[in-house]
Amino acid sequence: MESKLILYNTLTRRKEPFEPINPEHVGMYVCGPTVYGDPHLGHARPAVTFDLLFRYLKAAGYKVRYVRNITDVGHLEHDADEGEDKIAKKARLEQLEPMEVAHYYTERYHHAMEALNVLTPSIEPCASGHIIEQIEFVKRILDAGYAYISNGSVYFDVEKYNREYHYGRLSGRNLDDIIENTRSLDGQQDKHRSVDFALWKKASPEHIMRWPSPWGDGFPGWHMECSAMSTKYLGETFDIHGGGMDLMFPHHECEIAQSTAALGHDSARYWIHNNMITINGQKMGKSLGNFITLEELFTGKHRLLERAYSPMTIRFFVLQAHYRSTLDFSNEALQAAEKGLDRLMKGIETLGKLKAAPASTVDVAELEERCRAAMDDDLNSPMVISALFDWVRTINQIAEGQQSISEEDLQRLRATVNLYTFDILGLRDEKAAGASGSDMVPQLVETLLDIRQKAKAAKDWATSDAIRNRLTEIGIRVKDRKDGVDWEIE
Ligand code: ZN
């Protein structure tokens, strides 16, 4: 596919044609989750956004090495750089090994990503597996003179760096503003200035996640893993670095400073940031009580949810907004997305049944051009969806005999609709998967309903109700009739 992709580069604050260093080897690094809690809405948006980019780059013929990390050490509670390690804290509270916590939540994250049909990255390195690389990277920054050792910790010298480079370049800040907005030192810390950040932290005696280093036992600062691992897997200069807008400062700013200090230049060429998710117009936060995990969304078990929403409804909802716009979750908006997705899938079903005519009255190339132009324009997925909707209308007109389509055009239309709906937007027909994914589903439902009928006959209403309720929860509606039971997949 011929593509002229233009991406908005957060670093330069303008749209730029995407020109990779080597089309046979496009490097993309995206900051992944810190694995200490259930994956939530905040994880869905960057995952789907960068999945869309990954899928589109591949469809455009690029070979992509997509690296998405797992943070399993060094992400501290306060300002990412102070307080207790988030994973170690969870491990302490639940009396687990920190790696048990990390493993458990990594698995949960993977399950959620699979449900959202997010492709697995090429490499998924974790911070704890790259301590040696991080120590080496810290040494390079020390050798270059942009860091200092203090009481077993190593800190980045922000002021010195700012004299030669601009600290704040990505987030559009200058050092004076940053200093003004930084908490003052309480005298307990080893760093010289409040803006300095840890590259390596000395471990206190009770700190459980620790490794030996030239500076004593400790652990890497959170920002260090991304500089070290992106350099290891993608080289000193690579194409795309992505993440959520909330990571722009301090995380990505610090990453740029670290890489620039060690390598003499910034490593990533295009910085891409997705915007944030709000819930009923409010920022999402545990303290606000509107923190919704993906599992709660999929099951409907949250006081803010009127019911369950399927993973594809969530994915479609995310794609209906441009990734740089804010996205507000509400029951209303999700139900509208659900209807829209259903309309699209029904249209595709109709497309599968269309009969060709000797000649076309429709211009199939129009859809191809519109979809490609929309994706080329900084991944404008809402425009792709609106083009597909227009064509659902046309497909229905063909089905009703108001328009006609030739065999050649029909093949082409099916190929284009499939390419954009399934390969690029990454949608799945959940209902079709439920019905045809396994022939065992109807048999299993019948078996359960048999057991339920026996329970009813024995006046065991608890069991009978439990079976019906559990089936309803997974989307199977049970209808009692005088002469038996009917059921359908909703
Ligand atoms: Zn990162």
Side-chain angles (χ1 to χ4, degrees):
M1 184 175 68
E2 192 68 25
S3 157
K4 289 195 177 73
L5 177 59
I6 289 172
L7 289 171
Y8 181 84
N9 190 346
T10 323
L11 194 61
T12 57
R13 289 174 189 76
R14 57 169 189 256
K15 285 185 179 178
E16 294 172 3
F18 177 62
E19 282 154 9
I21 303 163
N22 176 1
E24 291 294 305
H25 190 111
V26 172
M28 172 159 115
Y29 187 93
V30 174
C31 293
T34 301
V35 281
Y36 71 104
D38 266 335
H40 53 79
L41 266 178
H43 290 109
R45 196 159 194 205
V48 170
T49 299
F50 294 102
D51 187 53
L52 178 70
L53 177 55
F54 184 37
R55 284 167 178 274
Y56 192 60
L57 288 171
K58 291 205 292 184
Y62 295 116
K63 288 213 172 72
V64 188
R65 181 179 294 161
Y66 175 16
V67 182
R68 188 185 65 206
N69 67 307
I70 294 278
T71 298
D72 59 356
V73 66
H75 191 175
L76 308 188
E77 280 179 293
H78 308 300
D79 301 339
D81 198 25
E82 295 298 331
E84 203 174 350
D85 183 293
K86 289 180 171 183
I87 291 157
K89 184 180 178 185
K90 187 101 182 173
R92 179 173 59 77
L93 294 174
E94 299 188 4
Q95 293 185 303
L96 296 166
E97 271 293 319
M99 281 302 121
E100 273 182 289
V101 173
H103 178 78
Y104 178 77
Y105 289 112
T106 301
E107 292 281 295
R108 306 273 289 174
Y109 181 73
H110 286 161
H111 282 306
M113 291 305 109
E114 204 177 296
L116 290 170
N117 208 20
V118 167
L119 298 175
T120 181
S122 324
I123 307 177
E124 196 175 43
C126 58
S128 67
H130 296 76
I131 299 294
I132 293 167
E133 287 84 349
Q134 296 186 70
I135 291 173
E136 289 306 310
F137 212 94
V138 175
K139 282 191 201 161
R140 285 178 82 166
I141 299 173
L142 276 167
D143 289 347
Y146 293 101
Y148 56 89
I149 304 164
S150 172
N151 190 27
S153 293
V154 184
Y155 290 97
F156 192 86
D157 188 339
V158 172
E159 257 176 40
K160 174 159 189 211
Y161 173 82
N162 191 56
R163 265 178 256 136
E164 271 136 86
Y165 305 98
H166 172 194
Y167 181 75
R169 192 157 63 104
L170 178 71
S171 54
R173 301 166 198 222
N174 64 53
L175 190 56
D176 290 337
D177 299 337
I178 298 168
I179 290 170
E180 213 159 279
N181 292 312
T182 310
R183 286 180 310 142
S184 57
L185 291 178
D186 55 13
Q188 300 291 312
Q189 295 169 8
D190 300 319
K191 56 184 175 184
H192 296 167
R193 278 170 293 268
S194 56
V195 282
D196 295 346
F197 58 90
L199 302 176
W200 182 266
K201 274 207 116 165
K202 179 187 179 172
S204 57
E206 64 275 11
H207 196 96
I208 33 184
M209 296 172 91
R210 57 201 298 144
W211 290 266
S213 82
W215 317 289
D217 276 12
F219 56 94
W222 172 38
H223 318 304
M224 184 45 65
E225 64 183 275
C226 293
S227 287
M229 299 193 299
S230 63
T231 306
K232 177 176 170 107
Y233 295 112
L234 300 175
E236 294 198 356
T237 308
F238 59 92
D239 298 297
I240 299 169
H241 194 310
M245 230 170 71
D246 54 332
L247 294 179
M248 217 190 287
F249 190 88
H251 184 56
H252 290 159
E253 202 71 75
C254 294
E255 244 188 274
I256 289 179
Q258 289 170 163
S259 296
T260 307
L263 312 170
H265 55 84
D266 182 18
S267 50
R269 297 165 69 231
Y270 300 85
W271 282 83
I272 314 287
H273 289 94
N274 64 273
N275 210 321
M276 307 314 290
I277 276 172
T278 54
I279 295 179
N280 299 318
Q282 265 192 321
K283 216 180 144 184
M284 189 168 87
K286 278 200 169 123
S287 57
L288 294 166
N290 66 357
F291 188 87
I292 308 179
T293 69
L294 290 171
E295 188 164 303
E296 284 164 345
L297 271 167
F298 301 160
T299 57
K301 283 179 188 146
H302 189 286
R303 63 172 185 85
L304 290 177
L305 298 172
E306 285 169 13
R307 55 184 169 81
Y309 299 100
S310 77
M312 278 310 105
T313 301
I314 306 298
R315 183 171 179 115
F316 189 69
F317 178 67
V318 169
L319 291 169
Q320 270 185 316
H322 187 262
Y323 75 90
R324 284 194 290 118
S325 317
T326 53
L327 179 59
D328 189 46
F329 264 80
S330 65
N331 282 289
E332 248 184 337
L334 285 172
Q335 284 159 27
E338 193 179 75
K339 276 204 190 98
L341 179 61
D342 195 48
R343 185 149 53 94
L344 178 58
M345 290 303 157
K346 284 203 172 102
I348 293 172
E349 207 184 306
T350 308
L351 176 61
K353 294 176 191 155
L354 285 188
K355 297 269 181 294
S360 290
T361 58
V362 294
D363 176 17
V364 175
E366 194 261 0
L367 178 67
E368 277 172 46
E369 277 153 27
R370 265 174 82 189
C371 288
R372 192 179 52 228
M375 283 304 291
D376 276 349
D377 184 15
D378 196 27
L379 311 178
N380 199 331
S381 54
M383 292 300 285
V384 174
I385 291 169
S386 99
L388 288 168
F389 276 153
D390 285 348
W391 273 83
V392 165
R393 211 169 301 131
T394 307
I395 287 164
N396 289 334
Q397 285 168 355
I398 299 169
E400 284 156 19
Q402 295 157 14
Q403 301 260 26
S404 67
I405 190 163
S406 70
E407 182 58 41
E408 194 189 332
D409 280 352
L410 186 56
Q411 304 268 355
R412 204 167 143 192
L413 180 59
R414 283 178 183 149
T416 306
V417 168
N418 287 341
L419 173 69
Y420 281 93
T421 308
F422 302 114
D423 299 346
I424 293 174
L425 296 181
L427 296 168
R428 241 191 321 231
D429 189 348
E430 288 172 319
K431 286 180 185 167
S436 67
S438 166
D439 295 333
M440 271 161 50
V441 171
Q443 291 176 40
L444 286 170
V445 175
E446 293 292 350
T447 307
L448 281 168
L449 291 177
D450 268 348
I451 298 171
R452 180 165 170 268
Q453 284 309 99
K454 286 187 182 115
K456 274 174 94 173
K459 293 198 164 43
D460 179 1
W461 309 118
T463 303
S464 142
D465 287 348
I467 291 173
R468 192 196 56 222
N469 294 342
R470 292 294 290 277
L471 286 171
T472 309
E473 270 174 38
I474 59 169
I476 293 168
R477 197 210 311 255
V478 177
K479 276 188 224 148
D480 285 302
R481 296 193 188 284
K482 272 184 191 155
D483 53 346
V485 191
D486 263 353
W487 64 274
E488 61 172 352
I489 298 174
E490 281 186 301

